[in-house]
Amino acid sequence: MDITATNITLRRGGKILCEGLDLHASAGELTAVIGASGSGKTTLLNCLALLERVNEGQLRIGGRDMTTVPESARRRFWRDSAAFIFQDYGLIDAETVAYNVMMSTPPLFRRRALTNPAVNEALSSVRLEGRGGEKVATLSGGEKQRVGLARAMYKNAAIIFADEPTASLDHENRDLVIELLRQAAARGATIVLATHDDAAITAADHRLHLGTHPATV
Ligand SMILES: Nc1ncnc2c1ncn2[C@@H]1O[C@H](COP(=O)(O)OP(=O)(O)OP(=O)(O)O)[C@@H](O)[C@H]1O
Ligand SMILES: [Mg+2]
C-alpha cells in the first residue's frame, strides 16, 4: 500500500513546517523522515496516518485520494491497514503489556490477551517474552517503546508509522527494532519512520529531510 503526498504544506502554531513537499513511500520499503527537533516530523507522520489534516496538497494512500476523508474511511484505514508506534508510546499505563499489544482488537478479546500465542510471539520478537502480565506503568522507557513495536508487529499492518522508535533504546535493542522494521518491509509493509538515529537513517531505503526547502526524497 503506497503513500504519495504531493505538494504538501504544513502550518502549525504560526510556523510553516514544510511547503511544497513531495513524498512517496512504497510498499516493501523503509522511508525515513529526518529533521531537527521541532521541524515537523511528528506532524507529518500524523498527517500521513490521517490523524491530522494537511493545510495544502494531496495525499493518496493505496491509490485512493485520502486528503479529506469521512470519519468512516479514516476508521476503516486504522482498523484494517495502519499501525502507529507513537513517540510518547501511546500505551495505557494502568493495563498490562499483553492488553496493550492487543489494543487493535475489540475489548472483549483483550481479556484473554495473556494466553494469546500471537501476543506472546510479538512480545518475544521485541525481547519481552514472559512480560505480558506486567502493568505498563512499571516498565522502563525503552521497554514501553518495544511494547509499542510489539503492538505494530501483532497487528501485521500494511503500513507502519514509527515516530522515533529507537529513541529510548540501547544499541542492541536499537538494532533489533531496525531489524524488525526491515523484516516488516520485507513482507511487503510500507514503513515510514521519523528518526534522528544514524543507524536507522542508514537502514532506510529513502530519506526525506524536513527543515530544508524544498524537501526532497
Ligand atoms: N497543534 C499545534 N499547535 C501549535 N503548534 C504546533 C501544533 N502541532 C505542532 N506544533 C508545532 O510544530 C512544530 C513541529 O512539531 P513536531 O512535533 O512535528 O516536531 P518534531 O520534528 O516531531 O520534533 P521532535 O524531534 O522534538 O519530536 C513544533 O514547534 C510544535 O510546537
Ligand atoms: Mg516528534
Side-chain angles (χ1 to χ4, degrees):
M1 219 178 192
D2 289 10
I3 303 174
T4 307
T6 312
N7 212 7
I8 296 290
T9 294
L10 294 177
R11 285 186 292 267
R12 294 292 184 275
K15 278 178 289 188
I16 297 172
L17 301 180
C18 66
E19 218 169 10
L21 177 135
D22 293 331
L23 171 147
H24 184 75
S26 302
E29 292 188 340
L30 215 150
T31 301
V33 176
I34 305 161
S37 180
S39 61
K41 300 181 296 300
T42 296
T43 307
L44 177 61
L45 252 61
N46 284 347
C47 288
L48 299 177
L50 311 182
L51 298 172
E52 291 186 45
R53 292 259 170 102
V54 298
N55 297 90
E56 282 163 41
Q58 198 200 38
L59 175 63
R60 296 181 77 81
I61 301 178
R64 265 190 74 188
D65 189 343
M66 301 290 263
T67 318
T68 49
V69 286
E71 183 56 28
S72 55
R74 204 174 73 94
R75 226 177 292 146
R76 210 174 314 121
F77 172 69
W78 267 85
R79 190 193 62 202
D80 300 337
S81 308
F84 204 114
I85 302 165
F86 293 97
Q87 188 168 13
D88 58 4
Y89 317 127
L91 304 172
I92 301 176
D93 271 353
E95 294 290 353
T96 64
V97 167
Y99 184 96
N100 273 273
V101 171
M102 279 191 85
M103 207 96 92
S104 57
T105 62
L108 213 63
F109 291 102
R110 284 182 231 154
R111 292 208 196 117
R112 273 171 270 145
L114 208 52
T115 52
N116 183 323
V119 170
N120 291 322
E121 194 184 318
L123 287 174
S124 294
S125 74
V126 299
R127 296 196 187 132
L128 290 173
E129 52 277 344
R131 306 283 299 274
E134 294 178 28
K135 287 280 196 296
V136 163
T138 65
L139 303 185
S140 74
E143 288 168 343
K144 287 181 188 173
Q145 196 148 43
R146 284 181 284 143
V147 175
L149 180 65
R151 183 162 66 186
M153 293 295 131
Y154 170 78
K155 198 170 179 188
N156 212 10
I159 305 178
I160 299 175
F161 301 97
D163 196 354
E164 305 205 25
T166 58
S168 310
L169 302 178
D170 57 54
H171 283 191
E172 201 179 316
N173 281 305
R174 177 194 70 184
D175 292 347
L176 172 76
V177 167
I178 293 169
E179 175 57 27
L180 286 168
L181 291 175
R182 286 250 51 118
Q183 280 174 20
R187 65 158 170 77
T190 306
I191 317 287
V192 186
L193 92 151
T195 190
H196 294 287
D197 186 292
D198 283 341
I201 293 168
T202 307
D205 298 297
H206 302 283
R207 286 158 272 276
L208 179 137
H209 297 266
L210 286 182
T212 49
H213 300 300
T216 49
V217 177

